[in-house]
Amino acid sequence: MSEAKPVKEEKDTMTASSSSSACSSVISRALNFKIAAECATSKARACLIGLPKSTVESPVFMPVGTKGTMKGLTSKQIADIGFQIILGNTYHLGTNPGPELIETANGLHDFMNWNRAILTDSGGYQMVSLVELSEVTEEGVKFASPYSDGILLLTPEKSIEIQNSLGADIIMQLDDVVSSTLEGPRVEEAMHRTIRWLDRCISAHKNTHRQNLFCIVQGGLNMDLRRKCIEEIVKRDTPGIAIGGLSGGEDKQVFWRVVDLCTSLLPKDKPRYLMGVGRGHCKRDTDDFSGYSYAVDLVVCSALGVDMYDCVYPTRTARFGTALVPWGQIRLKHSQYSMDFNPIDKNCSCLTCKKYTRAYLNSIIKQETVACHLLSIHNLTYQIQLMRSIRKSILEDKFPQFVKDFMKEMFSDGNYPQWAVDALASVNIQL
Amino acid sequence: LEEPGLEKLRKHGKGLADLIGYEDNSIYISASDYQGEALYQYNENKSISVWTKTGRTKVTADDYSKFIEVCQPSWYQCLCDTVPANATTKRTRKSVDRTLEFLDQCLNYRQKQGNNLQASEIWAAVEGGGLIDERVRSAKESSKRPVFGFTLEGFSSDQMNIETIFELLPLTTQNLPDEKPRLIHAIGSPANIIKAVESGIDLFDAYYPYNLTENNLAMALPHKAIKSLKLSHKLTEVEEEGNDSSDDSQRQDRCETFSLLNLREDKFKEDFAPMVRTCKCFSCSNHTRAYIHHLIVNNEMLGGVLLMLHNLSQYMEFFDCIRSALTNNKWKELQALFKT
């Protein structure tokens, strides 16, 4: 069970310690990775991730389409905004409608009529975060299903089986995820188990030619554990690598250092996916975001060398009437917007900003579901614009200036969060 | 009245259509909410009562006209006092009197205000509950006023039973001028709409598709209807056989009459056909019954969105059928296709 299975025969690598304009690519049967440009100052890169259903430009943000839909928006609307890849939740889809049905439908792509790339998670995180009673053993994760009576067991094999049926371009290993604020031996146990589960996932994976299995680095906030984990995990030679176990409310100063360590140690010629940034700050079903700036995480972590992100934040916050803008957030429920006949952001090109005013949105926000759709469209557009700007600036080797301008606009009073200042300074960007 | 409210509209200055993003379309404002219960007992001689989140608001004819002024709709109904068929005779008579009075007040306001309301046409409201004499009186009196058209009030299924509706309707409309349009609210199924058209009605609202969607139902127009009604001759045998195939889903829509699909039902779980094969709406062009079923049972908003798109599209198609049937002299065929 602990033997690493060789992943692919053909591997063409032009390594490695390349300077800014070098182009390196790895060909696997299901993923074609290419670095288009590297920032000369920081660790940021702009890449092309060639997947079976589409090529994805990074740094990339993946919106979360939990149950096969993006909260009231159609696949076409998501595609029109410009997303090339979305995320589906195995936990939900694995129970409703279930993998057999989706397999009958020719996979998740056909079932929801989304013809670009999809990434599915393993189902593990949601069980732990959504389900009251869950128990982790070496076998897998035991939990009480909220959809029916009885106890279910999610094993690495089962997770891969479901994900194979769903047919996503990228699938995630089942990992033993613990809260980042947890300390003690459980963290180390989880790290080792994650590696053992990775090997089980690799063995169980049937569709290596059209689905990419990503591994997940664990180890909590402990640098040594992270190092050990990476050392082992890299040997398994998966097409991509995720950094897990963060964004659970940990101290930001530690958070960025862990991300930085990981990106320094992980191979350059593979995509790095930072999972659920901002997730820990989205308290479910409240609109208490306490001025938290999720966009800052994306910019800073891109500077540290992360390529892929996901989060429910933009669409969840839309449901509470909050619009994301370059200078922070606008809570449209507030009476100050009642007579404000400007669009959310006059520089935004989305449908909502082209046609509707803050005053109108303020009117409908608590009563009409279309308000939620309009805000989701705006927030997702904001998100994609941000990523495009990051990418563009890297391609033009103007990323440090972009970061400075971005931070100035977000924190007009000059009160930058210290962790961001430190993180950026570590990669030679001085605010 | 509550949102966006008089103040906000006035400040915006460009009318309701512009504020809600409908600047390329016409707006019609009616004086009461047809989705809710009619709380007519709270109306008074000088005002009707409107219910908002903050409670009861009394609206006079002038209040109403002022509000219409800032909305700048294409059409608006005059303020009206509507009673159900089971109201007393005395109360019904009062509703006719009051509504005529409101109409005159609205017309008066129009005259005084110069250009502000000239771009918006006013419609009279024909009242009279379940009493034929009052209906006739209301129709005749309203006809004397300089209005653009007539709305027939109090004919929804929670105000009057179905037999009475189609007894009274033709008797009422025959006392309205031929050359002016007649509009009715909250008349539902295709069969009832056909009867209402026979009774002299020209315009309807979209209460029916809205209601269907709320109940996870999808309209399914019979494919033949569209084909045959659009031709001025009877379908030849060749044309009838045309699209036949032994495909299961096609067999489903060789259904002879109009039907409804309940997308919540289990039988759609693995049905990968579109809702209605011949429908060209967004939902049928892009998604399957199985997917929509999944969305509905998982309480996803997109389910309602896709259903509504479909139902509105089918509804419009249905009206196209009506017009075709009238043009091509195929009324009986239309009735047969939509009898429910």
Side-chain angles (χ1 to χ4, degrees):
Chain A
M1 218 202 296
S2 54
E3 252 183 2
K5 182 176 164 182
V7 176
K8 38 203 175 314
E9 315 78 60
E10 283 175 303
K11 189 171 154 188
D12 186 345
T13 322
M14 296 181 312
T15 29
S17 44
S18 24
S19 54
S20 42
S21 53
C23 221
S24 71
S25 65
V26 170
I27 301 160
S28 85
R29 280 196 277 176
L31 190 148
N32 186 326
F33 184 76
K34 193 169 153 194
I35 299 177
E38 290 176 283
C39 173
T41 313
S42 69
K43 290 158 68 180
R45 328 86 80 73
C47 309
L48 286 165
I49 307 170
L51 296 167
K53 286 289 193 174
S54 59
T55 299
V56 176
E57 296 164 316
S58 76
V60 62
F61 165 80
M62 300 178 285
V64 181
T66 313
K67 296 183 191 173
T69 161
M70 207 85 49
K71 292 301 166 207
L73 301 180
T74 65
S75 308
K76 181 170 187 298
Q77 284 173 306
I78 303 297
D80 286 346
I81 295 175
F83 289 104
Q84 297 155 329
I85 179 170
I86 61 175
L87 192 147
N89 290 130
T90 296
Y91 173 67
H92 291 293
L93 293 166
T95 36
N96 281 333
E100 300 80 16
L101 177 68
I102 295 195
E103 198 161 358
T104 315
N106 284 327
L108 188 55
H109 291 91
D110 275 9
F111 184 64
M112 53 183 290
N113 199 15
W114 169 258
N115 300 315
R116 300 181 182 179
I118 299 180
L119 182 150
T120 48
D121 64 1
S122 65
Y125 179 79
Q126 281 187 312
M127 285 183 319
V128 169
S129 65
L130 289 180
V131 181
E132 285 289 329
L133 220 61
S134 71
E135 189 200 330
V136 179
T137 63
E138 186 61 27
E139 216 190 332
V141 186
K142 255 195 218 144
F143 59 104
S145 162
Y147 289 112
S148 61
D149 292 322
I151 307 289
L152 296 176
L153 173 65
L154 186 69
T155 60
E157 291 77 13
K158 187 71 184 163
S159 172
I160 296 300
E161 187 191 317
I162 297 174
Q163 292 186 78
N164 279 158
S165 295
L166 297 176
D169 306 64
I170 299 175
I171 65 178
M172 304 302 298
Q173 73 154 110
L174 182 66
D175 54 342
D176 186 2
V177 62
V178 297
S179 162
S180 58
T181 49
L182 190 69
E183 290 178 21
R186 176 76 182 98
V187 181
E188 176 156 11
E189 179 194 49
M191 184 273 279
H192 286 297
R193 180 170 292 141
T194 295
I195 299 173
R196 291 195 293 277
W197 280 3
L198 170 62
D199 290 335
R200 284 166 64 182
C201 288
I202 290 173
S203 294
H205 184 28
K206 288 203 188 72
N207 303 328
T208 52
H209 58 291
R210 56 186 174 84
Q211 290 185 282
N212 297 287
L213 173 59
F214 278 26
C215 62
I216 305 177
V217 177
Q218 295 289 354
L221 305 175
N222 184 314
M223 300 304 192
D224 279 329
L225 291 180
R226 288 277 175 179
R227 225 175 255 125
K228 257 190 222 155
C229 191
I230 291 176
E231 202 180 300
E232 279 306 310
I233 238 168
V234 161
K235 293 181 192 165
R236 274 68 174 175
D237 200 17
T238 55
I241 298 151
I243 303 168
L246 291 174
S247 71
E250 67 276 340
D251 177 1
K252 290 304 259 235
Q253 285 286 13
V254 187
F255 161 77
W256 78 258
R257 286 185 167 86
V258 175
V259 174
D260 188 42
L261 176 75
C262 291
T263 54
S264 294
L265 295 176
L266 288 171
K268 282 185 104 173
D269 57 358
K270 291 184 176 177
R272 300 93 170 252
Y273 166 27
L274 180 56
M275 301 186 78
V277 178
R279 199 186 278 164
H281 295 260
C282 302
K283 297 190 185 65
R284 289 180 66 78
D285 296 325
T286 70
D287 57 353
D288 170 23
F289 297 109
S290 313
Y292 171 72
S293 178
Y294 163 64
V296 176
D297 280 13
L298 295 182
V299 173
V300 173
C301 291
S302 296
L304 299 177
V306 174
D307 307 305
M308 302 167 69
Y309 307 90
D310 76 274
C311 190
V312 293
Y313 183 69
T315 42
R316 182 170 289 165
T317 201
R319 297 211 301 288
F320 293 112
T322 299
L324 302 175
V325 288
W327 59 94
Q329 295 180 160
I330 294 185
R331 297 170 74 161
L332 287 161
K333 265 193 272 194
H334 278 190
S335 52
Q336 71 180 109
Y337 298 111
S338 150
M339 300 288 171
D340 187 342
F341 295 102
N342 294 305
I344 293 172
D345 176 6
K346 62 182 193 295
N347 293 322
C348 178
S349 58
C350 81
L351 165 81
T352 308
C353 291
K354 277 203 284 197
K355 257 185 118 67
Y356 302 96
T357 61
R358 298 170 180 187
Y360 174 64
L361 293 166
N362 171 272
S363 287
I364 61 171
I365 231 144
K366 274 187 265 194
Q367 14 229 356
E368 300 285 345
T369 46
V370 74
C372 160
H373 303 168
L374 291 175
L375 276 186
S376 291
I377 289 175
H378 169 78
N379 285 356
L380 288 174
T381 304
Y382 165 78
Q383 213 49 60
I384 215 175
Q385 271 308 108
L386 176 64
M387 304 317 289
R388 281 185 181 150
S389 307
I390 293 176
R391 178 180 170 79
K392 185 160 183 278
S393 70
I394 298 171
L395 289 171
E396 296 173 353
D397 205 15
K398 295 185 181 155
F399 182 64
Q401 189 56 47
F402 166 81
V403 176
K404 292 179 191 168
D405 293 342
F406 167 83
M407 294 297 277
K408 227 190 265 174
E409 192 166 14
M410 190 62 78
F411 302 99
S412 52
D413 57 1
N415 233 352
Y416 301 137
Q418 192 59 41
W419 77 269
V421 174
D422 293 346
L424 291 167
S426 82
V427 288
N428 308 311
I429 299 182
Q430 309 294 342
L431 286 181
Chain B
L1 256 187
E2 186 179 35
E3 284 293 357
L6 194 64
E7 221 197 302
K8 194 179 289 204
L9 280 163
R10 188 169 279 147
K11 191 132 194 271
H12 174 64
K14 290 186 241 168
L16 182 64
D18 187 271
L19 183 70
I20 67 176
Y22 267 51
E23 60 275 0
D24 295 332
N25 296 61
S26 310
I27 300 243
Y28 159 72
I29 296 185
S30 82
S32 40
D33 174 10
Y34 289 91
Q35 304 302 333
E37 224 186 278
L39 290 159
Y40 65 98
Q41 49 263 57
Y42 292 94
N43 295 345
E44 296 167 6
N45 282 340
K46 290 226 182 316
S47 67
I48 67 164
S49 288
V50 172
W51 300 86
T52 64
K53 282 213 195 79
T54 48
R56 175 184 168 203
T57 308
K58 293 199 218 178
V59 180
T60 65
D62 273 7
D63 291 335
Y64 182 71
S65 296
K66 282 199 183 88
F67 181 67
I68 296 294
E69 243 184 320
V70 290
C71 288
Q72 300 165 30
S74 306
W75 297 340
Y76 66 105
Q77 190 188 35
C78 74
L79 195 65
C80 53
D81 172 30
T82 307
V83 300
N86 60 12
T88 64
T89 306
K90 190 174 169 199
R91 182 62 182 88
T92 306
R93 253 189 222 130
K94 217 191 285 197
S95 83
V96 175
D97 292 334
R98 274 188 195 157
T99 301
L100 286 167
E101 177 61 36
F102 289 148
L103 174 57
D104 288 338
Q105 286 170 357
C106 287
L107 286 167
N108 212 12
Y109 191 95
R110 276 175 77 82
Q111 279 203 302
K112 282 194 296 180
Q113 286 311 101
N115 282 328
N116 293 356
L117 277 171
Q118 289 325 306
S120 309
E121 301 283 11
I122 189 168
W123 292 60
V126 177
E127 300 287 348
L131 304 175
I132 181 61
D133 288 339
E134 288 302 303
R135 284 286 172 189
V136 173
R137 178 166 82 95
S138 179
K140 283 189 170 157
E141 283 301 313
S142 304
S143 302
K144 294 179 187 166
R145 273 75 170 168
V147 294
F148 180 80
F150 302 88
T151 68
L152 285 304
E153 289 302 310
F155 285 100
S156 74
S157 57
D158 58 346
Q159 291 166 317
M160 190 181 290
N161 69 45
I162 202 86
E163 294 81 25
T164 316
I165 293 178
F166 292 112
E167 256 180 58
L168 288 179
L169 208 48
L171 293 174
T172 311
T173 59
Q174 70 194 28
N175 289 291
L176 296 172
D178 268 341
E179 72 282 2
K180 288 190 181 177
R182 300 86 175 268
L183 183 154
I184 199 166
H185 290 282
I187 287 284
S189 65
N192 286 344
I193 290 176
I194 288 172
K195 284 209 201 115
V197 170
E198 286 171 347
S199 309
I201 302 296
D202 306 300
L203 295 106
F204 300 80
D205 63 13
Y207 145 87
Y208 180 68
Y210 172 77
N211 228 32
L212 286 183
T213 302
E214 292 283 288
N215 289 294
N216 303 313
L217 297 167
M219 288 175 72
L221 295 186
H223 171 54
K224 268 201 183 158
I226 291 99
K227 255 193 118 173
S228 131
L229 294 172
K230 301 226 159 128
L231 301 167
S232 46
H233 56 272
K234 206 167 149 65
L235 262 188
T236 66
E237 254 178 51
V238 177
E239 281 163 331
E240 271 205 30
E241 295 307 304
N243 289 328
D244 277 9
S245 102
S246 52
D247 184 302
D248 239 337
S249 60
Q250 291 195 14
R251 202 173 292 143
Q252 257 172 23
D253 39 66
R254 244 188 267 145
C255 188
E256 295 293 319
T257 59
F258 170 72
S259 61
L260 295 173
L261 309 171
N262 185 343
L263 267 304
R264 213 186 169 91
E265 279 173 14
D266 255 350
K267 69 180 184 189
F268 293 115
K269 196 165 182 220
E270 286 195 36
D271 189 342
F272 298 108
M275 274 188 288
V276 174
R277 189 178 50 89
T278 47
C279 177
K280 306 252 183 320
C281 81
F282 177 86
S283 312
C284 294
S285 306
N286 288 291
H287 292 292
T288 62
R289 295 170 173 188
Y291 183 57
I292 293 167
H293 170 83
H294 161 76
L295 295 173
I296 286 172
V297 301
N298 281 285
N299 295 317
E300 285 290 339
M301 281 185 264
L302 185 60
V305 170
L306 294 177
L307 256 189
M308 194 65 183
L309 284 171
H310 169 76
N311 283 335
L312 281 175
S313 166
Q314 289 272 280
Y315 197 58
M316 310 250 280
E317 183 88 60
F318 168 62
F319 279 91
D320 210 38
C321 290
I322 297 181
R323 290 188 293 269
S324 296
L326 284 169
T327 313
N328 295 323
N329 204 11
K330 297 224 169 142
W331 199 250
K332 285 230 158 28
E333 233 184 286
L334 181 77
Q335 286 173 314
L337 288 163
F338 289 98
K339 68 176 191 294
T340 307

